[in-house]
Amino acid sequence: MTLSDIEAQLADLREDAQTAIASADSLDGLEQLRVSYLGKKGQLSKILGGMGKLDPSDRPRIGASANEVKESIQSALDDKRTQLQAAQIQARLVAETLDVTLPGVVRPQGRQHPLNSTLDRMVDIFVGLGYTVATGPEMETDYYNFEALNTPPDHPARDMQDTFYLPDGNLLRTHTSSVQIRYMEQHDPPIRIVAPGRCYRRDTVDATHSATFHQLEILAIDKGLTFTDLKGTIKEFLRQIFGETDIRFRASYFPFTEPSAEVDVRWKGKWLEVMGCGMVDPNVLKAVGYDPEVYTGFAAGLGIERFAMILHQIDDIRRVYASDLRFLRQF
Ligand code: DAH
């Protein structure tokens, strides 16, 4: 092995390497080339292995040439690596491009029906006053809807005009007051409940009447409850839901309360009735086995539609049931 042999081999190696590196198309491939040319057992090492047989005075020269070849291969590898990495990033950018100007996917958004949101607000206020929620069936017996509520058979509220009777003699409850009886039968006083639910009446449908509507029944039974407690509770409830508005209690009549009242709220300059209420009639307490000498209580029936109409400025109750999205989307 002569000096010029080695120099020729080094020159070949440089040329080989330059060509191979130039055509490398991946970082892995490039790494393999590095190992094969400059690695410990690579081609450059092999060539230099032959140096031992050279005349010692020639060694520095070969050493210098070898270094030069090594550096030129290394710098070709470095350039190519930078180039391949840039290409890789570029490819990724292209693959992951997101056109933020594209119109989004429009997902339909549901919302609470105004009746439900109104009911939730009403119930929340009473829950805040210590009441719990009770429910009862919409299909009722005559007993729970009328009889136990001190409503004699000849009372006008039982007129066929007002009540939907079912073929089996049962009926669709005309009010949520039936839940009062069901609850008191199952529980001992003290009682503080609110009972929301749907009611049915054979009313002619117009702007303020619907054959199905919703009520929130209130019932409180305890020792020593008076009309003052009823008034205070109702006033506090109305203050919380409407803010400071004019209200008035008007004497009225219900078979299941004595005395009875209706409550009006001033809305758009007019008095609007929002509930019936009163002190629970002793006959109702007797019907569920409570001693009216020991317990008294008050009750109220609130029209949920009325509250929804006032809170949301709805002028016609029929809109509430029409399922017209143009209307419902406003809430
Ligand atoms: N049930 C009555 C109605 O539907 C409303 C009512 C009045 C409920 C007085 C009560 C009450 O609990 O005490 O017209």
Side-chain angles (χ1 to χ4, degrees):
M1 185 78 65
T2 66
L3 179 67
S4 58
D5 283 344
I6 295 187
E7 288 210 306
Q9 282 178 2
L10 282 175
D12 285 351
L13 180 69
R14 185 209 293 258
E15 209 169 302
D16 250 35
Q18 302 289 14
T19 318
I21 291 169
S23 59
D25 59 2
S26 73
L27 287 167
D28 283 350
L30 195 66
E31 175 61 10
Q32 280 170 23
L33 291 177
R34 187 191 66 78
V35 172
S36 126
Y37 291 113
L38 304 183
K40 265 193 193 137
K41 295 173 185 165
Q43 299 178 46
L44 184 64
S45 295
K46 243 180 239 158
I47 295 171
L48 295 180
M51 254 168 70
K53 292 166 198 152
L54 287 179
D55 187 311
S57 65
D58 287 334
R59 285 184 200 165
R61 223 180 114 189
I62 289 298
S65 307
N67 260 341
E68 200 204 311
V69 168
K70 185 180 172 186
E71 268 161 31
S72 101
I73 294 175
Q74 187 62 58
S75 99
L77 283 166
D78 290 346
D79 290 353
K80 189 69 182 183
R81 177 172 302 112
T82 311
Q83 200 185 321
L84 285 172
Q85 275 168 345
Q88 200 176 49
I89 289 171
Q90 200 51 42
R92 233 178 107 179
L93 283 176
V94 169
E96 295 176 6
T97 292
L98 192 68
D99 183 353
V100 293
T101 67
L102 280 176
V105 179
V106 179
R107 303 193 190 281
Q109 197 191 2
R111 34 169 91 55
Q112 244 192 338
H113 190 280
L115 268 187
N116 283 317
S117 57
T118 302
L119 174 61
D120 281 358
R121 276 172 75 171
M122 295 169 76
V123 168
D124 278 354
I125 294 171
F126 279 104
V127 166
L129 295 173
Y131 287 69
T132 52
V133 177
T135 53
E138 291 175 19
M139 190 174 83
E140 264 301 1
T141 63
D142 184 274
Y143 179 77
Y144 287 110
N145 197 79
F146 293 126
E147 192 84 44
L149 285 162
N150 195 36
T151 309
D154 54 357
H155 193 274
R158 301 181 61 147
D159 195 292
M160 285 291 289
Q161 297 289 40
D162 298 325
T163 307
F164 285 112
Y165 284 95
L166 301 166
D168 62 3
N170 288 327
L171 49 84
L172 296 179
R173 70 177 174 197
T174 57
H175 51 193
T176 44
S177 302
S178 50
V179 184
Q180 291 186 26
I181 305 299
R182 288 186 174 273
Y183 194 87
M184 286 191 286
E185 278 184 349
Q186 303 290 327
H187 298 82
D188 290 328
I191 283 174
R192 274 173 185 71
I193 54 156
V194 286
R198 180 170 293 173
C199 308
Y200 302 82
R201 281 189 208 170
R202 290 172 53 128
D203 272 334
T204 308
V205 176
D206 63 23
T208 53
H209 293 88
S210 164
T212 70
F213 57 98
H214 300 78
Q215 286 189 338
L216 182 68
E217 192 78 12
I218 316 297
L219 176 68
I221 307 281
D222 210 336
K223 286 178 182 156
L225 286 181
T226 68
F227 200 85
T228 308
D229 298 304
L230 165 62
K231 267 187 103 167
T233 303
I234 296 305
K235 279 171 86 169
E236 174 58 15
F237 165 75
L238 291 174
R239 191 189 63 77
Q240 286 197 37
I241 198 148
F242 292 139
E244 300 296 340
T245 21
D246 287 346
I247 63 169
R248 72 176 182 195
F249 284 74
R250 200 165 24 81
S252 184
Y253 171 78
F254 298 101
F256 31 89
T257 44
E258 181 58 37
S260 305
E262 281 173 304
V263 180
D264 300 335
V265 170
R266 195 189 279 285
W267 189 56
K268 292 189 172 171
K270 284 190 215 142
W271 288 110
L272 201 67
E273 184 210 320
V274 291
M275 74 181 82
C277 61
M279 300 306 291
V280 178
D281 193 289
N283 286 338
V284 174
L285 297 175
K286 278 186 218 153
V288 296
Y290 290 0
D291 184 350
E293 300 296 326
V294 178
Y295 293 105
T296 54
F298 60 82
L302 287 60
I304 296 172
E305 280 79 355
R306 277 290 161 88
F307 284 86
M309 289 170 79
I310 294 173
L311 287 175
H312 296 294
Q313 317 270 328
I314 301 166
D315 56 356
D316 191 326
I317 197 172
R318 286 167 291 194
R319 294 191 196 286
V320 172
Y321 304 110
S323 300
D324 181 340
L325 288 180
R326 292 170 305 175
F327 170 75
L328 293 173
R329 282 203 179 106
Q330 301 176 92
F331 302 100

